């Protein structure tokens, strides 16, 4: 099994291989591997559970970082390699340029990769056993993430987690105005948060006498809070009445 990490701080919106426009965009070919969405969801839950165990807030899910992770996982599954930078075809570029091409405009970014593990538990255990990979998971400056897993035609699973800091905003730029999501399903809450330029953070569960099972019981921060774009909103989902 091989694991690598790429963690980099950068100081310009584009890396040195950029040409002024996003190269190769961010759309994976339909033939590149098979996405493993349940495995990716499990990975997110485990990473956020570890962060909570050491007093860190959960990572919010960024659509741009997710797109970057999906592209990378499927590309590695198709071409059978493990490297933070993207080799051609379709284009040779750094991982920072890929994140830019996928729409993330920030400058504090990192990436953990793995292959050869069939389940997320094994991936997270291996990452936490490596000081460099663990540092990305436990980085207090990272507030957003994007995760993907893709299976190759030969059955090998490739794992990607991208990390990033808050998205910088110019004065007067649209921000995340937290919507009221109590009473919504997780899917509906996620959609409301996305429309409000926020992101779904940690999900926990708790019993409730009044909120139906599977719907949001409480949220944090509360509705109306103004935050940086893509800031995570944590929710507690009702597990129904306690028996």
């Amino acid at each position: 099994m091989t694991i690598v990490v790429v963690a980099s701080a950068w100081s310009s919106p584009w890396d040195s291989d950029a040409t002024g426009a996003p190269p190769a965009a961010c759309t994976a070919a339909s033939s590149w591997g098979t996405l493993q969405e349940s495995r990716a969801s499990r990975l997110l839950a485990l990473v956020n559970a570890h962060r909570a165990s050491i007093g860190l807030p959960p990572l919010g899910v960024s659509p741009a970082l997710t797109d970057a992770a999906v592209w990378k996982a499927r590309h590695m599954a198709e071409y059978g390699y493990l490297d933070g930078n993207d080799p051609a075809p379709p284009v040779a570029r750094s991982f920072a340029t890929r994140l830019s091409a996928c729409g993330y405009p920030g400058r504090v970014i990192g990436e953990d990769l793995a292959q050869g593990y069939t389940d997320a538990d094994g991936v997270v255990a291996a990452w936490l056993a490596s000081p460099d990979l663990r540092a990305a998971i436990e980085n207090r400056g990272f507030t957003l993430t994007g995760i993907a897993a893709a299976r190759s035609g030969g059955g090998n699973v490739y794992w990607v987690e991208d990390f990033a800091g808050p998205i910088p905003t110019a004065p007067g730029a649209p921000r995340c105005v937290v919507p009221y999501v109590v009473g919504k399903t997780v899917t509906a809450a996620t959609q409301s948060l996305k429309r409000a330029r926020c992101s779904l953070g940690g999900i926990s569960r708790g019993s409730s006498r009044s909120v139906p099972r599977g719907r949001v019981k409480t949220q944090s921060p509360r509705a109306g809070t103004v935050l940086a774009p893509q800031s995570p909103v944590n929710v507690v989902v009702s597990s129904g009445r306690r028996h």
Side-chain angles (χ1 to χ4, degrees):
M1 299 181 186
T2 305
I3 310 168
V4 299
V5 62
V6 178
S8 175
W10 50 303
S11 59
S12 62
W14 294 94
D15 242 15
S16 59
D17 58 347
T19 59
C26 195
T27 303
S30 59
S31 60
W32 291 357
T34 303
L35 284 180
Q36 307 292 294
E37 295 182 354
S38 62
R39 286 179 163 126
S41 297
R42 173 65 177 168
L43 185 62
L44 174 62
L46 290 171
V47 167
N48 275 339
H50 175 74
R51 285 175 62 91
S53 73
I54 59 174
L56 293 178
L59 296 168
V61 177
S62 161
L65 295 181
T66 299
D67 288 345
V70 166
W71 191 99
K72 185 63 174 179
R74 297 188 69 179
H75 191 258
M76 291 193 300
E78 172 67 13
Y79 292 101
Y81 71 96
L82 194 71
D83 191 310
N85 295 325
D86 303 339
V91 65
R93 60 183 176 183
S94 69
F95 96 102
T97 301
R98 170 169 32 92
L99 267 61
S100 291
C102 290
Y104 177 75
R107 301 178 182 180
V108 180
I109 52 178
E111 186 170 74
D112 283 0
L113 309 176
Q115 71 169 354
Y117 294 90
T118 58
D119 60 70
D121 298 70
V123 173
V124 173
W127 283 352
L128 292 177
S130 165
D132 288 339
L133 288 97
R134 186 185 190 107
I137 294 173
E138 297 181 351
N139 191 318
R140 293 181 178 272
F142 290 151
T143 60
L144 301 172
T145 192
I147 295 176
R151 188 180 63 223
S152 70
N156 198 9
V157 180
Y158 291 82
W159 305 79
V160 181
E161 179 162 16
D162 287 321
F163 303 89
I167 296 176
T169 57
R175 300 177 69 82
C176 158
V177 180
V178 178
Y180 185 74
V181 297
V182 171
K184 294 181 180 291
T185 64
V186 172
T187 298
T190 301
Q191 293 171 345
S192 293
L193 292 167
K194 183 177 180 180
R195 288 194 296 269
R197 300 183 180 86
C198 311
S199 65
L200 181 65
I203 302 175
S204 57
R205 298 188 180 275
S207 61
S208 175
R209 295 181 178 179
S210 57
V211 179
R213 180 184 179 88
R215 294 184 178 269
V216 176
K217 172 186 173 184
T218 61
Q219 66 179 83
S220 178
R222 65 184 181 181
T225 303
V226 180
L227 305 168
Q230 301 304 315
S231 291
V233 176
N234 305 322
V235 298
V236 177
V237 177
S238 172
S239 56
R241 290 177 177 270
R242 180 178 296 172
H243 297 291

